[in-house]
Amino acid sequence: MIKFIIPLFREYEKITKQYTRLLNNKIVTQYMVETLEEIKKTMEIDYEIWTNIEEFRTKFDRNKIRFFQSADEVSEIKSEWYRFINPNYPFVSEKTYFVFIEKKLKTLTFNKHVIICDNFSKINEIIKTDCFEVQEMNSLESINLETRSGWWIAEKELKKKRIIIHPLSSKALGTGHIYRGLTIGSKLLIDHDVLFLFRKDQELGINMIRREGFKVLTYDVYENPADIIIMNRPDIVINDLLNTTKDYILKLKQANIRVINFEDIGEGAIYADAVINALYPGNVPQKNFYTGEDYYCIREDFIGISKKTIKKDVEEILITYGGEDPQFLTLATLKGIYKLQDEFNFHITIILGPAFNNHEKLYKAIMEMGLENKISVYENVNEMVKFMKRADIIFTSAGRTMYEIATVGTPAVVTSQNYREITHTFGHPYNGFYNLGYWAEVNEDNYYNVARELILDFGLRQLMNERMRKNDFSEGINRVVKIILNEESENNE
């Protein structure tokens, strides 16, 4: 029977108390012991700790510890059944051990460093002769703890969470949920494993996420997404679905998964660990609700930008109504304001979202109005901040774009595209917005009149800019990440 030996000798420590030092609140040697204990459940092996470090007398099973005065005493001990483990690689996986045992190996290396061998003297050598070398080890088990940088990387790896982001992908409701998922995912991916989940027919979201380099999981229409989530064993799930059911959330909770929901007003909300809603202000009776603009996740390209300086003359008007513009407010706004072009000589820019599907009608209308040379149309732009800052007035919907506009400081006119947007109270005068209300009650004349008023009233545009300047969303993403990772309590200590 193979007996694995963990040699832990003070004279071989490269870092003070290296073998008894805590790593993510656990003695580093414990990681090796736990792995070997798991292997013992399925394979006939044994292990011992050979050491001259007194602290181990109280930390592990005395029957598993063999004490020596120094490492020199061990150098002459030999047995065909002993296999010495390099203690600087404490995270070697069960899978790697199984390969070693099943192939009846005597030496196993990775990048020419000894991982396991039959001779104690080889442990700290770099092998130059031919021997069995593991071709692949995961990011954790390949860490070498001989250096401070190795310890730092190990700490990061051990604290890493597996996170699944499950956003809504619906043309009718725009792409804001997907963009928020990208913003949060980009913030988390340095320290954690981030995946996205979509139903297979949600091609808009799948394509947007894959273009950004994230891994995407999918499920069929007839499948329960909770089953796919549980199968992939995440630590955290982020749902951005608007409405969740009690059964869905409880199934995730029963699998010991931390559940974070965005803008959830479904029956499942009260069972989640946290519900975050930046668009709805005010107090909510549930302790797990976090509401208001303090929790808005602004995109990175909007952080740290200088504020818009208001000019007396309006030279550029931007029209942008989100991912789809389901009410086709782009055309209604254009028809309302284009008549002012000859009088005030401004340029119009239109930005269409990835789900916009009225191209033919829009371009036909532009031709009929004779605006081919007076207007610029862009699709799926990546540098939205540049267009917002260049504009003197922006026409948009009452969604997440409002926060981006406020960050830039450009005077804006908002129209609610659905009843849900009416409740987004951030887009009101006290935050610097001109709010026209619900789309069905707004016509071309309203757009004409408000555009004319803002063009002529330099002081009003200055006031709107000043009120927008009071807002700072740069810390919103950090607050949200702390909630996701269950670290928000640190602020209350």
Side-chain angles (χ1 to χ4, degrees):
M1 180 177 65
I2 291 177
K3 177 175 284 190
F4 288 98
I5 307 300
I6 307 174
L8 306 170
F9 291 94
R10 184 74 74 191
E11 54 265 43
Y12 285 164
E13 291 183 326
K14 300 292 180 66
I15 296 174
T16 304
K17 294 189 175 181
Q18 180 173 333
Y19 303 134
T20 56
R21 183 179 291 275
L22 292 180
L23 184 58
N24 196 31
N25 298 318
K26 186 187 294 186
I27 295 175
V28 66
T29 306
Q30 184 69 35
Y31 293 100
M32 287 183 282
V33 170
E34 288 177 357
T35 301
L36 292 168
E37 286 287 355
E38 285 299 313
I39 294 171
K40 282 185 66 177
K41 294 177 182 178
T42 56
M43 303 190 82
E44 191 175 351
I45 64 132
D46 201 359
Y47 71 91
E48 282 185 346
I49 297 171
W50 290 7
T51 185
N52 62 353
I53 301 173
E54 285 295 321
E55 289 95 316
F56 282 117
R57 291 187 185 275
T58 58
K59 295 186 183 299
F60 294 102
D61 183 350
R62 294 179 65 87
N63 295 322
K64 296 297 182 184
I65 299 175
R66 187 172 173 184
F67 281 90
F68 297 85
Q69 293 300 312
S70 69
D72 292 338
E73 291 184 51
V74 178
S75 59
E76 300 301 322
I77 299 178
K78 290 182 171 56
S79 169
E80 62 176 310
W81 304 112
Y82 287 164
R83 298 294 182 269
F84 294 88
I85 302 171
N86 189 332
N88 293 312
Y89 290 87
F91 309 112
V92 176
S93 67
E94 292 178 39
K95 180 180 177 182
T96 300
Y97 276 110
F98 287 150
V99 170
F100 181 86
I101 296 168
E102 289 175 354
K103 290 184 177 292
K104 299 180 180 180
L105 302 174
K106 291 188 175 182
T107 304
L108 184 143
T109 68
F110 178 72
N111 289 339
K112 300 302 180 185
H113 285 79
V114 172
I115 304 298
I116 308 172
C117 68
D118 63 341
N119 189 325
F120 174 73
S121 63
K122 294 180 182 178
I123 284 295
N124 291 307
E125 292 182 5
I126 295 179
I127 298 298
K128 297 179 182 179
T129 57
D130 291 335
C131 55
F132 188 84
E133 176 153 331
V134 180
Q135 298 300 314
E136 292 185 12
M137 295 178 80
N138 65 45
S139 58
L140 182 60
E141 64 178 328
S142 62
I143 293 172
N144 186 338
L145 294 185
E146 286 185 310
T147 64
R148 290 175 61 190
S149 61
W151 281 79
W152 184 85
I153 294 170
E155 188 82 33
K156 285 283 188 180
E157 285 289 330
L158 290 168
K159 289 183 177 180
K160 184 163 60 177
K161 304 290 186 184
R162 186 174 178 85
I163 301 171
I164 293 179
I165 301 177
H166 186 196
L168 186 72
S169 178
S170 167
K171 287 187 175 181
L173 293 168
T175 54
H177 304 272
I178 301 170
Y179 280 121
R180 176 162 52 209
L182 281 170
T183 300
I184 294 170
S186 297
K187 184 72 175 180
L188 291 167
L189 70 82
I190 299 299
D191 293 324
H192 305 281
D193 291 328
V194 179
L195 304 89
F196 281 79
L197 176 68
F198 290 99
R199 201 173 61 223
K200 286 184 178 178
D201 61 343
Q202 295 175 330
E203 294 182 4
L204 173 65
I206 292 171
N207 293 335
M208 288 176 65
I209 296 301
R210 281 183 174 158
R211 277 198 300 268
E212 298 298 322
F214 285 94
K215 182 179 178 180
V216 175
L217 305 171
T218 60
Y219 61 95
D220 283 309
V221 175
Y222 58 83
E223 290 182 302
N224 185 341
D227 293 331
I228 306 302
I229 291 170
I230 293 169
M231 184 174 65
N232 282 276
R233 302 174 65 183
D235 300 288
I236 302 169
V237 168
I238 301 171
N239 296 300
D240 200 339
L241 305 171
L242 294 181
N243 301 288
T244 63
T245 65
K246 174 182 176 181
D247 290 343
Y248 170 72
I249 300 299
L250 288 181
K251 190 167 187 175
L252 296 177
K253 294 294 297 174
Q254 287 164 3
N256 199 31
I257 298 171
R258 180 168 172 79
V259 180
I260 309 296
N261 295 352
F262 278 88
E263 296 180 19
D264 186 8
I265 56 174
E267 62 175 353
I270 61 174
Y271 301 98
D273 292 285
V275 177
I276 304 169
N277 197 334
L279 295 175
Y280 308 140
N283 296 320
V284 186
Q286 282 80 16
K287 290 182 179 180
N288 63 329
F289 278 37
Y290 301 81
T291 62
E293 55 260 30
D294 282 349
Y295 302 99
Y296 182 72
C297 298
I298 197 77
R299 286 187 284 177
E300 285 187 353
D301 50 338
F302 283 88
I303 295 176
I305 64 169
S306 58
K307 295 287 187 178
K308 168 79 175 179
T309 299
I310 304 302
K311 305 189 302 287
K312 187 171 184 179
D313 295 327
V314 171
E315 299 173 353
E316 176 79 23
I317 292 181
L318 172 62
I319 300 173
T320 180
Y321 283 99
E324 186 193 12
D325 185 12
Q327 311 305 338
F328 206 3
L329 297 183
T330 296
L331 183 56
T333 304
L334 180 61
K335 286 183 175 180
I337 71 173
Y338 89 96
K339 300 172 186 176
L340 295 165
Q341 269 192 318
D342 291 337
E343 182 179 355
F344 296 104
N345 193 32
F346 57 81
H347 180 263
I348 298 174
T349 295
I350 294 175
I351 295 179
L352 307 175
F356 184 80
N357 57 11
N358 274 312
H359 297 82
E360 187 177 340
K361 291 181 181 178
L362 176 62
Y363 290 120
K364 182 180 179 181
I366 290 173
M367 294 284 288
E368 291 174 348
M369 288 183 279
L371 297 176
E372 303 95 306
N373 299 319
K374 298 181 178 181
I375 191 170
S376 300
V377 181
Y378 299 90
E379 298 185 49
N380 302 328
V381 301
N382 293 320
E383 299 179 338
M384 198 67 179
V385 63
K386 178 182 71 176
F387 289 93
M388 289 182 175
K389 198 167 184 180
R390 190 169 68 191
D392 297 296
I393 300 171
I394 300 175
F395 286 85
T396 191
S397 54
R400 295 165 189 80
T401 305
M402 295 186 299
Y403 294 92
E404 296 174 353
I405 293 171
T407 300
V408 175
T410 302
V413 181
V414 298
T415 307
S416 299
Q417 295 223 53
N418 50 57
Y419 285 115
R420 197 179 186 102
E421 285 192 357
I422 295 175
T423 64
H424 299 174
T425 56
F426 181 76
H428 279 70
Y430 51 79
N431 284 317
F433 292 89
Y434 201 122
N435 197 311
L436 291 178
Y438 187 52
W439 74 272
E441 299 169 2
V442 182
N443 56 41
E444 295 170 18
D445 289 339
N446 296 125
Y447 291 118
Y448 175 90
N449 291 331
V450 71
R452 185 178 182 84
E453 180 182 357
L454 290 175
I455 290 170
L456 292 172
D457 197 336
F458 174 53
L460 176 56
R461 284 186 283 117
Q462 284 183 312
L463 176 62
M464 295 169 76
N465 172 264
E466 289 170 5
R467 290 187 175 180
M468 288 183 179
R469 283 175 176 268
K470 296 177 183 178
N471 296 289
D472 181 6
F473 306 113
S474 60
E475 287 300 312
I477 184 68
N478 294 327
R479 295 187 187 101
V480 167
V481 166
K482 282 184 176 292
I483 294 168
I484 291 170
L485 300 176
N486 199 24
E487 296 174 350
E488 73 275 14
S489 60
E490 295 176 6
N491 295 331
N492 300 322
E493 292 178 355

